[in-house]
Coordinates of all heavy atoms in Angstrom, one line a residue:
M73 N 0.8 -1.2 0.0 CA 0.0 0.0 0.0 C 0.9 1.2 0.0 O 1.9 1.3 0.7 CB -0.9 0.0 1.2 CG -1.9 -1.2 1.3 SD -3.0 -1.2 -0.1 CE -4.5 -0.6 0.7
I74 N 0.5 2.2 -0.7 CA 1.2 3.5 -0.8 C 0.4 4.6 -0.3 O -0.8 4.7 -0.6 CB 1.6 3.7 -2.3 CG1 2.4 2.6 -2.8 CG2 2.3 5.1 -2.5 CD1 2.6 2.6 -4.3
F75 N 1.1 5.5 0.5 CA 0.4 6.7 1.0 C -0.1 7.5 -0.1 O 0.6 7.8 -1.1 CB 1.4 7.5 1.9 CG 0.8 8.7 2.4 CD1 -0.2 8.7 3.5 CD2 1.1 9.9 1.9 CE1 -0.7 9.8 4.0 CE2 0.5 11.1 2.4 CZ -0.4 11.1 3.4
L76 N -1.4 8.0 0.0 CA -2.0 8.8 -1.0 C -2.2 10.2 -0.5 O -1.8 11.1 -1.2 CB -3.4 8.1 -1.3 CG -4.3 8.8 -2.4 CD1 -3.6 8.7 -3.7 CD2 -5.6 8.1 -2.4
A77 N -2.8 10.4 0.6 CA -3.1 11.8 1.1 C -3.6 11.7 2.5 O -4.0 10.6 3.0 CB -4.1 12.5 0.2
K78 N -3.7 12.8 3.2 CA -4.4 12.9 4.4 C -5.9 13.2 4.1 O -6.2 14.0 3.2 CB -3.8 14.0 5.3 CG -2.5 13.6 5.8 CD -2.0 14.6 6.9 CE -0.8 14.0 7.5 NZ -0.4 14.6 8.7
A79 N -6.8 12.6 4.9 CA -8.2 12.7 4.6 C -8.6 14.2 4.7 O -9.4 14.7 4.0 CB -9.0 11.9 5.6
S80 N -8.0 14.9 5.6 CA -8.3 16.3 5.9 C -7.9 17.2 4.7 O -8.4 18.4 4.6 CB -7.6 16.8 7.1 OG -6.2 16.7 7.0
E81 N -7.1 16.7 3.8 CA -6.7 17.5 2.6 C -7.8 17.5 1.6 O -7.8 18.3 0.6 CB -5.5 16.9 1.9 CG -4.2 16.9 2.8 CD -3.1 16.2 2.1 OE1 -3.1 16.0 0.9 OE2 -2.2 15.7 2.9
I82 N -8.8 16.6 1.7 CA -9.9 16.6 0.7 C -11.2 16.7 1.5 O -11.8 15.7 1.9 CB -9.8 15.2 0.0 CG1 -8.4 15.0 -0.5 CG2 -10.8 15.2 -1.2 CD1 -8.1 13.5 -0.9
P83 N -11.7 17.9 1.6 CA -13.0 18.1 2.3 C -14.2 17.4 1.5 O -14.0 17.1 0.3 CB -13.2 19.6 2.3 CG -11.9 20.2 2.0 CD -11.1 19.2 1.2
E84 N -15.2 17.2 2.2 CA -16.4 16.5 1.6 C -16.8 17.3 0.3 O -16.9 18.5 0.3 CB -17.6 16.6 2.6 CG -18.9 16.1 2.0 CD -18.9 14.6 1.5 OE1 -18.1 13.8 2.1 OE2 -19.6 14.3 0.5
G85 N -17.0 16.5 -0.8 CA -17.4 17.1 -2.1 C -16.3 17.7 -2.9 O -16.5 18.2 -4.0
E86 N -15.1 17.5 -2.4 CA -13.9 18.0 -3.1 C -13.1 16.9 -3.8 O -13.4 15.7 -3.6 CB -13.0 18.8 -2.2 CG -13.7 20.1 -1.6 CD -13.9 21.1 -2.7 OE1 -13.2 21.3 -3.6 OE2 -15.0 21.8 -2.5
R87 N -12.1 17.3 -4.5 CA -11.2 16.3 -5.1 C -9.8 16.8 -5.1 O -9.5 18.0 -4.9 CB -11.6 15.9 -6.5 CG -11.3 17.0 -7.6 CD -12.2 18.2 -7.6 NE -13.6 17.9 -7.7 CZ -14.2 17.8 -8.9 NH1 -13.5 18.0 -10.0 NH2 -15.5 17.5 -9.0
K88 N -8.8 15.9 -5.3 CA -7.4 16.3 -5.3 C -6.7 15.4 -6.3 O -7.0 14.2 -6.4 CB -6.8 16.1 -3.9 CG -5.4 16.5 -3.8 CD -4.9 16.3 -2.4 CE -3.4 16.5 -2.4 NZ -2.9 17.5 -1.5
L89 N -5.7 16.0 -7.0 CA -4.9 15.3 -7.9 C -3.6 14.9 -7.2 O -2.9 15.8 -6.7 CB -4.7 16.1 -9.2 CG -3.9 15.4 -10.3 CD1 -4.5 14.2 -10.8 CD2 -3.6 16.4 -11.4
V90 N -3.3 13.6 -7.2 CA -2.1 13.2 -6.5 C -1.3 12.3 -7.4 O -1.8 11.5 -8.1 CB -2.4 12.4 -5.2 CG1 -1.2 11.9 -4.5 CG2 -3.4 13.1 -4.3
K91 N 0.1 12.5 -7.4 CA 0.9 11.6 -8.3 C 1.4 10.5 -7.4 O 2.0 10.8 -6.3 CB 2.1 12.4 -8.9 CG 2.7 11.7 -10.0 CD 3.8 12.5 -10.7 CE 3.4 13.4 -11.8 NZ 2.9 12.8 -13.0
V92 N 1.2 9.3 -7.8 CA 1.6 8.1 -7.0 C 2.4 7.2 -8.0 O 1.8 6.7 -9.0 CB 0.4 7.3 -6.5 CG1 0.8 6.1 -5.7 CG2 -0.5 8.2 -5.6
N93 N 3.6 7.0 -7.7 CA 4.5 6.1 -8.5 C 4.4 6.6 -10.0 O 4.4 5.7 -10.9 CB 4.1 4.7 -8.4 CG 4.7 4.0 -7.2 OD1 5.3 4.6 -6.4 ND2 4.4 2.7 -7.1
G94 N 4.4 7.9 -10.2 CA 4.4 8.4 -11.6 C 3.0 8.4 -12.2 O 2.9 8.8 -13.4
V95 N 2.0 8.0 -11.5 CA 0.6 7.9 -12.0 C -0.2 9.0 -11.4 O -0.2 9.2 -10.2 CB 0.0 6.6 -11.8 CG1 -1.5 6.5 -12.3 CG2 0.8 5.4 -12.4
D96 N -0.9 9.8 -12.3 CA -1.8 10.8 -11.7 C -3.1 10.2 -11.3 O -3.8 9.5 -12.1 CB -2.1 11.9 -12.8 CG -0.9 12.8 -13.1 OD1 -0.1 13.0 -12.1 OD2 -0.8 13.3 -14.2
V97 N -3.4 10.3 -10.0 CA -4.6 9.7 -9.4 C -5.5 10.8 -9.0 O -5.1 11.8 -8.3 CB -4.2 8.9 -8.2 CG1 -5.5 8.3 -7.5 CG2 -3.3 7.7 -8.6
A98 N -6.8 10.8 -9.4 CA -7.8 11.7 -9.0 C -8.5 11.1 -7.8 O -9.1 10.0 -7.9 CB -8.8 12.0 -10.1
V99 N -8.5 11.8 -6.7 CA -9.1 11.4 -5.4 C -10.3 12.2 -5.1 O -10.2 13.4 -5.1 CB -8.1 11.4 -4.2 CG1 -8.7 10.7 -3.0 CG2 -6.8 10.9 -4.6
F100 N -11.5 11.6 -4.9 CA -12.7 12.3 -4.7 C -13.2 11.9 -3.3 O -13.1 10.7 -2.9 CB -13.8 11.9 -5.7 CG -13.5 12.3 -7.1 CD1 -12.7 11.5 -7.9 CD2 -13.9 13.5 -7.7 CE1 -12.4 11.8 -9.2 CE2 -13.6 13.8 -9.0 CZ -12.8 13.0 -9.8
R101 N -13.9 12.8 -2.6 CA -14.6 12.5 -1.4 C -16.0 12.9 -1.6 O -16.4 14.0 -1.8 CB -14.0 13.4 -0.2 CG -14.6 13.0 1.1 CD -13.9 13.8 2.2 NE -14.2 13.3 3.5 CZ -13.5 13.7 4.6 NH1 -12.4 14.5 4.5 NH2 -13.8 13.2 5.8
Q102 N -16.9 11.9 -1.5 CA -18.3 12.0 -1.7 C -19.0 11.2 -0.7 O -18.8 10.0 -0.5 CB -18.7 11.6 -3.1 CG -18.3 12.5 -4.3 CD -19.0 13.8 -4.2 OE1 -18.4 14.9 -4.3 NE2 -20.3 13.8 -4.0
G103 N -20.0 11.8 0.0 CA -20.8 11.0 0.9 C -20.0 10.4 2.0 O -20.3 9.3 2.5
G104 N -18.8 11.1 2.4 CA -18.0 10.5 3.4 C -17.1 9.4 3.0 O -16.4 8.9 3.8
R105 N -17.1 9.1 1.7 CA -16.3 8.0 1.2 C -15.2 8.6 0.2 O -15.5 9.6 -0.4 CB -17.2 7.0 0.5 CG -16.6 5.7 0.3 CD -17.6 4.7 -0.4 NE -16.7 3.8 -1.1 CZ -17.2 2.9 -2.0 NH1 -18.5 2.7 -2.1 NH2 -16.4 2.1 -2.6
F106 N -14.1 7.9 0.2 CA -13.0 8.3 -0.7 C -13.0 7.4 -1.9 O -13.1 6.1 -1.8 CB -11.7 8.3 0.0 CG -11.6 9.4 1.0 CD1 -11.9 9.1 2.3 CD2 -11.2 10.6 0.7 CE1 -11.9 10.0 3.3 CE2 -11.1 11.6 1.7 CZ -11.5 11.3 3.0
Y107 N -12.7 7.9 -3.1 CA -12.6 7.2 -4.4 C -11.4 7.6 -5.1 O -11.0 8.8 -5.1 CB -13.8 7.5 -5.3 CG -15.2 7.2 -4.7 CD1 -15.9 8.2 -4.0 CD2 -15.8 6.0 -4.8 CE1 -17.1 8.0 -3.5 CE2 -17.0 5.7 -4.2 CZ -17.7 6.7 -3.6 OH -18.9 6.5 -3.0
A108 N -10.7 6.7 -5.7 CA -9.4 7.0 -6.4 C -9.5 6.4 -7.8 O -9.8 5.2 -8.0 CB -8.2 6.5 -5.7
L109 N -9.3 7.3 -8.8 CA -9.4 6.8 -10.2 C -8.1 7.3 -10.9 O -7.6 8.4 -10.6 CB -10.6 7.4 -10.9 CG -12.0 7.0 -10.6 CD1 -12.5 7.7 -9.3 CD2 -12.9 7.2 -11.7
N110 N -7.7 6.6 -11.9 CA -6.6 7.1 -12.8 C -7.1 8.4 -13.4 O -8.3 8.4 -13.9 CB -6.3 6.1 -13.8 CG -5.0 6.5 -14.6 OD1 -5.0 7.6 -15.2 ND2 -4.1 5.6 -14.6
N111 N -6.4 9.4 -13.3 CA -6.8 10.7 -13.8 C -7.1 10.8 -15.3 O -7.9 11.6 -15.8 CB -5.8 11.8 -13.4 CG -6.4 13.2 -13.6 OD1 -7.5 13.5 -13.2 ND2 -5.6 14.0 -14.3
A112 N -6.5 9.9 -16.0 CA -6.6 9.9 -17.5 C -7.9 9.1 -17.9 O -8.0 7.9 -17.7 CB -5.4 9.2 -18.1
C113 N -8.8 9.9 -18.5 CA -10.0 9.3 -19.0 C -9.6 8.3 -20.1 O -8.7 8.5 -20.9 CB -10.9 10.4 -19.6 SG -12.3 9.8 -20.5
P114 N -10.3 7.1 -20.1 CA -9.9 6.1 -21.1 C -10.3 6.4 -22.5 O -9.9 5.7 -23.5 CB -10.6 4.8 -20.6 CG -11.8 5.4 -19.8 CD -11.3 6.6 -19.2
H115 N -11.0 7.5 -22.7 CA -11.4 7.9 -24.1 C -10.2 8.6 -24.7 O -9.5 8.0 -25.6 CB -12.6 8.8 -24.1 CG -13.0 9.3 -25.4 ND1 -13.5 10.5 -25.6 CD2 -13.0 8.6 -26.6 CE1 -13.8 10.7 -26.9 NE2 -13.5 9.5 -27.6
R116 N -9.9 9.8 -24.3 CA -8.7 10.5 -24.8 C -7.9 11.2 -23.8 O -7.5 12.3 -24.0 CB -9.2 11.5 -25.9 CG -9.7 10.8 -27.2 CD -9.6 11.8 -28.3 NE -10.4 11.3 -29.4 CZ -10.8 12.1 -30.4 NH1 -10.6 13.4 -30.4 NH2 -11.5 11.5 -31.4
Q117 N -7.8 10.6 -22.6 CA -7.0 11.1 -21.5 C -7.4 12.4 -20.9 O -6.6 13.2 -20.4 CB -5.5 11.2 -21.9 CG -4.8 9.8 -22.0 CD -5.2 8.9 -23.1 OE1 -5.2 9.4 -24.3 NE2 -5.7 7.7 -22.8
G118 N -8.7 12.7 -21.0 CA -9.2 13.9 -20.4 C -9.0 13.8 -18.9 O -8.9 12.7 -18.3
P119 N -8.8 15.0 -18.2 CA -8.5 14.9 -16.7 C -9.7 14.7 -15.9 O -10.5 15.7 -15.7 CB -7.9 16.3 -16.5 CG -8.5 17.2 -17.6 CD -8.8 16.3 -18.7
L120 N -9.9 13.5 -15.4 CA -11.1 13.3 -14.6 C -11.2 14.1 -13.3 O -12.2 14.3 -12.8 CB -11.2 11.8 -14.3 CG -11.4 10.9 -15.5 CD1 -11.5 9.4 -15.1 CD2 -12.6 11.3 -16.3
S121 N -10.0 14.5 -12.8 CA -10.0 15.3 -11.6 C -10.7 16.7 -11.8 O -11.0 17.3 -10.9 CB -8.5 15.6 -11.1 OG -7.8 16.2 -12.1
R122 N -10.9 17.0 -13.1 CA -11.6 18.3 -13.4 C -13.0 18.0 -13.8 O -13.7 18.9 -14.3 CB -10.8 19.1 -14.4 CG -9.5 19.6 -13.9 CD -9.0 20.7 -14.8 NE -7.6 20.6 -15.0 CZ -6.9 20.9 -16.1 NH1 -7.6 21.5 -17.1 NH2 -5.6 20.7 -16.2
G123 N -13.5 16.8 -13.7 CA -14.8 16.5 -14.1 C -15.9 16.9 -13.1 O -15.6 17.4 -12.0
T124 N -17.1 16.8 -13.6 CA -18.3 17.2 -12.7 C -18.7 15.9 -12.0 O -19.0 14.9 -12.6 CB -19.4 17.7 -13.6 OG1 -18.9 18.8 -14.4 CG2 -20.6 18.2 -12.8
V125 N -18.9 16.0 -10.7 CA -19.4 14.9 -9.9 C -20.9 15.0 -9.9 O -21.5 16.0 -9.7 CB -18.8 14.9 -8.5 CG1 -19.5 13.9 -7.6 CG2 -17.3 14.7 -8.6
E126 N -21.5 13.8 -10.1 CA -23.0 13.7 -10.1 C -23.4 12.5 -9.2 O -22.7 11.5 -9.2 CB -23.5 13.4 -11.5 CG -23.1 14.4 -12.5 CD -23.4 14.0 -14.0 OE1 -23.9 12.9 -14.2 OE2 -23.1 14.8 -14.9
A127 N -24.4 12.7 -8.4 CA -24.9 11.7 -7.6 C -26.2 11.1 -8.2 O -27.1 11.9 -8.7 CB -25.2 12.2 -6.2
A128 N -26.4 9.8 -8.2 CA -27.6 9.2 -8.7 C -28.7 9.4 -7.7 O -28.5 9.6 -6.5 CB -27.3 7.7 -9.0
A129 N -29.9 9.3 -8.2 CA -31.1 9.4 -7.3 C -31.1 8.2 -6.4 O -30.6 7.1 -6.7 CB -32.3 9.5 -8.2
E130 N -31.6 8.4 -5.2 CA -31.9 7.4 -4.2 C -30.6 6.6 -3.9 O -30.6 5.4 -3.7 CB -32.9 6.4 -4.7 CG -34.3 7.1 -5.0 CD -35.2 6.2 -5.8 OE1 -34.9 5.0 -6.0 OE2 -36.3 6.7 -6.1
G131 N -29.5 7.4 -3.8 CA -28.3 6.8 -3.3 C -27.7 5.7 -4.2 O -27.0 4.8 -3.7
A132 N -28.0 5.7 -5.5 CA -27.5 4.6 -6.3 C -26.2 5.0 -7.0 O -25.9 4.8 -8.1 CB -28.6 4.4 -7.4
G133 N -25.3 5.5 -6.2 CA -23.9 5.7 -6.7 C -23.6 7.1 -7.0 O -24.4 8.0 -7.0
C134 N -22.3 7.4 -7.2 CA -21.8 8.7 -7.5 C -20.9 8.5 -8.8 O -20.3 7.5 -9.0 CB -20.8 9.2 -6.4 SG -21.7 9.6 -4.9
F135 N -20.9 9.6 -9.6 CA -20.3 9.5 -10.9 C -19.4 10.7 -11.2 O -19.7 11.8 -10.6 CB -21.3 9.4 -12.0 CG -22.3 8.2 -11.7 CD1 -23.4 8.4 -11.0 CD2 -22.1 7.0 -12.3 CE1 -24.3 7.4 -10.7 CE2 -22.9 5.9 -12.0 CZ -24.0 6.1 -11.2
V136 N -18.5 10.6 -12.1 CA -17.8 11.8 -12.5 C -17.9 11.8 -14.0 O -17.8 10.8 -14.7 CB -16.3 11.8 -12.1 CG1 -15.5 10.6 -12.7 CG2 -15.6 13.1 -12.5
R137 N -18.2 13.0 -14.5 CA -18.4 13.2 -15.9 C -17.1 13.9 -16.5 O -16.7 15.0 -16.0 CB -19.6 14.1 -16.2 CG -20.0 14.1 -17.7 CD -21.3 14.8 -17.9 NE -22.5 14.1 -17.5 CZ -23.1 13.1 -18.1 NH1 -22.6 12.6 -19.2 NH2 -24.1 12.5 -17.6
C138 N -16.5 13.3 -17.5 CA -15.2 13.8 -18.0 C -15.5 15.2 -18.6 O -16.4 15.4 -19.4 CB -14.7 12.8 -19.1 SG -13.2 13.4 -19.8
P139 N -14.6 16.1 -18.4 CA -14.8 17.5 -18.9 C -14.5 17.6 -20.4 O -14.9 18.6 -21.0 CB -13.7 18.3 -18.1 CG -12.7 17.3 -17.8 CD -13.3 16.0 -17.5
M140 N -13.9 16.5 -21.0 CA -13.6 16.6 -22.4 C -14.8 16.3 -23.3 O -15.2 17.1 -24.1 CB -12.4 15.7 -22.8 CG -11.1 16.1 -22.1 SD -10.3 17.4 -22.8 CE -9.6 16.6 -24.2
H141 N -15.4 15.2 -23.2 CA -16.4 14.8 -24.1 C -17.6 14.2 -23.4 O -18.5 13.6 -24.0 CB -15.9 13.8 -25.2 CG -14.7 14.2 -25.8 ND1 -13.4 13.6 -25.4 CD2 -14.4 15.1 -26.8 CE1 -12.5 14.2 -26.2 NE2 -13.0 15.1 -27.0
G142 N -17.6 14.3 -22.1 CA -18.8 13.9 -21.3 C -19.1 12.5 -20.9 O -20.1 12.1 -20.5
W143 N -18.1 11.6 -21.2 CA -18.3 10.2 -20.7 C -18.5 10.3 -19.2 O -17.8 11.1 -18.5 CB -17.1 9.3 -21.1 CG -17.0 9.0 -22.5 CD1 -17.5 9.6 -23.6 CD2 -16.2 7.9 -23.0 NE1 -17.1 9.0 -24.7 CE2 -16.4 7.9 -24.4 CE3 -15.5 6.8 -22.4 CZ2 -15.7 7.0 -25.3 CZ3 -14.9 5.9 -23.3 CH2 -15.0 6.0 -24.7
R144 N -19.3 9.4 -18.7 CA -19.6 9.4 -17.3 C -19.1 8.0 -16.6 O -19.4 7.0 -17.2 CB -21.1 9.5 -17.0 CG -21.5 9.9 -15.6 CD -22.9 10.1 -15.5 NE -23.7 8.9 -15.4 CZ -24.7 8.7 -14.6 NH1 -25.2 9.8 -14.0 NH2 -25.4 7.6 -14.5
F145 N -18.4 8.1 -15.5 CA -17.9 6.9 -14.9 C -18.4 6.8 -13.4 O -18.4 7.8 -12.7 CB -16.3 7.0 -14.9 CG -15.7 7.2 -16.2 CD1 -15.4 8.4 -16.7 CD2 -15.6 6.1 -17.1 CE1 -14.9 8.6 -18.0 CE2 -15.0 6.2 -18.3 CZ -14.7 7.5 -18.8
D146 N -18.6 5.6 -13.0 CA -19.0 5.3 -11.6 C -17.7 5.5 -10.8 O -16.7 4.9 -11.1 CB -19.5 3.9 -11.6 CG -20.1 3.5 -10.2 OD1 -19.3 3.8 -9.2 OD2 -21.2 3.0 -10.1
L147 N -17.8 6.3 -9.8 CA -16.6 6.5 -9.0 C -16.1 5.3 -8.3 O -14.9 5.1 -8.0 CB -16.9 7.6 -7.9 CG -16.9 9.1 -8.4 CD1 -17.3 10.0 -7.2 CD2 -15.6 9.5 -9.0
A148 N -17.0 4.4 -7.9 CA -16.6 3.2 -7.2 C -16.1 2.1 -8.1 O -15.1 1.4 -7.7 CB -17.8 2.7 -6.4
T149 N -16.6 2.0 -9.3 CA -16.2 0.8 -10.1 C -15.5 1.2 -11.4 O -14.9 0.4 -12.1 CB -17.5 0.0 -10.5 OG1 -18.3 0.9 -11.4 CG2 -18.3 -0.4 -9.3
G150 N -15.6 2.5 -11.8 CA -15.0 2.9 -13.1 C -15.9 2.6 -14.3 O -15.6 3.0 -15.4
D151 N -17.1 2.0 -14.0 CA -18.0 1.6 -15.1 C -18.4 2.8 -15.9 O -18.8 3.9 -15.4 CB -19.2 0.9 -14.5 CG -20.1 0.4 -15.6 OD1 -19.9 -0.7 -16.1 OD2 -21.0 1.2 -16.0
S152 N -18.3 2.7 -17.2 CA -18.6 3.8 -18.1 C -20.0 3.8 -18.7 O -20.3 4.5 -19.7 CB -17.6 3.8 -19.2 OG -17.7 2.7 -20.0
N153 N -20.9 3.0 -18.2 CA -22.3 2.9 -18.6 C -22.4 2.7 -20.1 O -23.1 3.4 -20.8 CB -23.0 4.2 -18.2 CG -24.5 4.1 -18.3 OD1 -25.0 3.0 -18.1 ND2 -25.1 5.2 -18.6
G154 N -21.7 1.7 -20.6 CA -21.9 1.2 -22.0 C -20.9 1.8 -22.9 O -20.9 1.4 -24.1
R155 N -20.0 2.7 -22.5 CA -19.0 3.2 -23.4 C -17.9 2.2 -23.6 O -17.9 1.2 -22.9 CB -18.3 4.5 -22.8 CG -19.3 5.6 -22.5 CD -19.7 6.3 -23.8 NE -20.4 7.5 -23.5 CZ -20.7 8.5 -24.4 NH1 -20.3 8.3 -25.6 NH2 -21.3 9.6 -24.0
P156 N -17.1 2.3 -24.6 CA -16.1 1.3 -25.0 C -15.1 0.9 -23.9 O -14.5 -0.1 -24.0 CB -15.4 1.8 -26.2 CG -16.4 2.8 -26.8 CD -17.1 3.4 -25.6
A157 N -14.8 1.8 -23.0 CA -13.8 1.5 -22.0 C -14.2 2.1 -20.7 O -14.8 3.2 -20.6 CB -12.4 2.1 -22.5
N158 N -13.8 1.4 -19.6 CA -14.0 1.9 -18.2 C -12.8 2.7 -17.7 O -11.7 2.5 -18.1 CB -14.3 0.7 -17.3 CG -15.6 0.0 -17.7 OD1 -16.5 0.6 -18.3 ND2 -15.7 -1.3 -17.4
A159 N -13.1 3.5 -16.7 CA -12.0 4.2 -16.0 C -11.3 3.2 -15.1 O -11.9 2.2 -14.6 CB -12.5 5.4 -15.2
T160 N -10.0 3.4 -14.8 CA -9.3 2.6 -13.8 C -9.5 3.1 -12.4 O -9.3 4.3 -12.2 CB -7.8 2.6 -14.2 OG1 -7.6 2.1 -15.5 CG2 -7.0 1.7 -13.2
V161 N -9.9 2.2 -11.5 CA -10.1 2.7 -10.2 C -9.2 1.9 -9.2 O -8.7 0.8 -9.6 CB -11.6 2.4 -9.7 CG1 -12.6 3.2 -10.5 CG2 -11.9 0.9 -9.7
Y162 N -8.8 2.5 -8.1 CA -7.9 1.9 -7.1 C -8.7 1.9 -5.8 O -9.3 2.9 -5.4 CB -6.7 2.8 -7.0 CG -6.0 3.1 -8.3 CD1 -6.1 4.3 -8.9 CD2 -5.3 2.1 -9.0 CE1 -5.5 4.6 -10.1 CE2 -4.7 2.4 -10.2 CZ -4.7 3.6 -10.7 OH -4.1 3.9 -11.9
A163 N -8.5 0.8 -5.1 CA -9.2 0.7 -3.8 C -8.4 1.6 -2.8 O -7.2 1.7 -2.8 CB -9.1 -0.7 -3.3
V164 N -9.2 2.4 -2.0 CA -8.7 3.3 -1.0 C -8.8 2.6 0.3 O -9.9 2.2 0.7 CB -9.4 4.6 -1.0 CG1 -8.8 5.6 0.0 CG2 -9.3 5.3 -2.4
D165 N -7.7 2.6 1.1 CA -7.7 2.1 2.4 C -7.5 3.2 3.4 O -6.4 3.9 3.3 CB -6.6 1.0 2.5 CG -6.6 0.4 3.9 OD1 -7.6 0.5 4.7 OD2 -5.6 -0.3 4.2
Q166 N -8.5 3.5 4.2 CA -8.4 4.6 5.1 C -7.9 4.1 6.5 O -8.6 3.3 7.0 CB -9.7 5.4 5.3 CG -9.6 6.6 6.2 CD -10.8 7.5 6.2 OE1 -11.7 7.3 5.5 NE2 -10.7 8.6 6.9
R167 N -6.8 4.6 6.9 CA -6.3 4.2 8.2 C -6.2 5.5 9.1 O -5.3 6.3 9.0 CB -4.9 3.6 8.1 CG -4.9 2.4 7.3 CD -3.5 1.8 7.1 NE -3.4 0.8 6.1 CZ -2.3 0.3 5.6 NH1 -1.1 0.7 6.0 NH2 -2.3 -0.7 4.7
G168 N -7.3 5.7 9.8 CA -7.4 6.9 10.6 C -7.5 8.1 9.7 O -8.4 8.2 8.8
E169 N -6.5 9.0 9.8 CA -6.5 10.2 9.0 C -5.8 10.0 7.7 O -5.8 10.9 6.8 CB -5.8 11.3 9.9 CG -5.4 12.6 9.2 CD -6.5 13.4 8.6 OE1 -7.7 13.1 8.9 OE2 -6.3 14.3 7.8
E170 N -5.2 8.9 7.5 CA -4.4 8.7 6.3 C -5.0 7.7 5.3 O -5.7 6.7 5.7 CB -3.0 8.1 6.7 CG -2.2 9.1 7.6 CD -0.8 8.6 7.9 OE1 -0.6 7.4 7.9 OE2 0.0 9.5 8.2
L171 N -4.8 8.1 4.0 CA -5.4 7.3 2.9 C -4.3 6.6 2.2 O -3.2 7.2 1.9 CB -6.2 8.2 1.9 CG -7.2 9.1 2.5 CD1 -7.8 10.0 1.4 CD2 -8.3 8.3 3.2
Y172 N -4.5 5.3 1.8 CA -3.5 4.5 1.1 C -4.2 3.9 -0.1 O -5.4 3.6 0.0 CB -2.9 3.4 2.0 CG -2.1 4.0 3.1 CD1 -2.7 4.4 4.3 CD2 -0.7 4.1 3.0 CE1 -1.9 4.9 5.4 CE2 0.1 4.6 4.1 CZ -0.6 5.0 5.2 OH 0.2 5.5 6.3
I173 N -3.4 3.6 -1.1 CA -3.9 2.8 -2.2 C -2.9 1.8 -2.7 O -1.7 2.0 -2.4 CB -4.3 3.7 -3.5 CG1 -3.2 4.5 -4.0 CG2 -5.5 4.6 -3.2 CD1 -3.5 5.1 -5.4
E174 N -3.4 0.8 -3.4 CA -2.5 -0.1 -4.0 C -2.5 0.2 -5.5 O -3.5 0.3 -6.1 CB -3.0 -1.6 -3.8 CG -2.0 -2.6 -4.1 CD -2.1 -3.8 -3.1 OE1 -2.9 -3.7 -2.1 OE2 -1.5 -4.8 -3.4
I175 N -1.3 0.4 -6.1 CA -1.2 0.8 -7.5 C -0.1 0.1 -8.2 O 0.8 -0.4 -7.5 CB -1.0 2.3 -7.5 CG1 -1.3 2.8 -8.9 CG2 0.3 2.7 -7.1 CD1 -1.4 4.4 -9.0
Ligands
LIG227 S1 -11.4 12.3 -23.0 FE1 -12.9 11.8 -21.6 S2 -14.7 11.7 -22.7 FE2 -13.2 12.1 -24.2

């Protein structure tokens, strides 16, 4: 596991771009939970850390919409809702105030 960030660096509803082992990782905090995705959109490498976060109705997940061409990805799974490629997600392990990921 590799240190990612301190939880307090990412307030609720915010995101942060972190470089881990040379990989740009977009970290989001939504609903008290942390999500980490490869920042490069699988379509044409748009920066997901600058995307718009959307919550589904009735608590059915959170999504980020790529700022380049609008593909939408599930923050938890990277699922692209039928597009040709999914986003790469990394499991976040929260240990107290510190966040770690395996990459
Ligand atoms: S680069 Fe993300 S939708 Fe095209």
Side-chain angles (χ1 to χ4, degrees):
M73 298 298 256
I74 300 171
F75 177 74
L76 181 65
K78 290 193 170 193
S80 59
E81 295 172 25
I82 311 164
E84 175 61 31
E86 297 293 326
R87 76 284 304 273
K88 179 178 174 127
L89 181 61
V90 182
K91 197 175 272 294
V92 180
N93 277 3
V95 176
D96 285 334
V97 177
V99 189
F100 296 86
R101 184 176 193 166
Q102 285 296 130
R105 197 177 150 187
F106 292 92
Y107 303 92
L109 292 80
N110 189 305
N111 191 49
C113 174
H115 179 218
R116 289 200 193 162
Q117 283 71 55
L120 295 181
S121 60
R122 291 199 223 147
T124 304
V125 172
E126 303 170 356
E130 299 168 7
C134 295
F135 306 87
V136 61
R137 191 173 290 281
C138 179
M140 295 283 281
H141 313 99
W143 287 22
R144 194 176 84 144
F145 303 96
D146 188 308
L147 284 176
T149 65
D151 184 86
S152 62
N153 193 30
R155 300 285 191 166
N158 296 333
T160 300
V161 296
Y162 308 104
V164 178
D165 183 13
Q166 183 170 2
R167 300 177 190 170
E169 167 63 11
E170 298 183 336
L171 307 175
Y172 294 84
I173 60 169
E174 196 145 349
I175 194 167

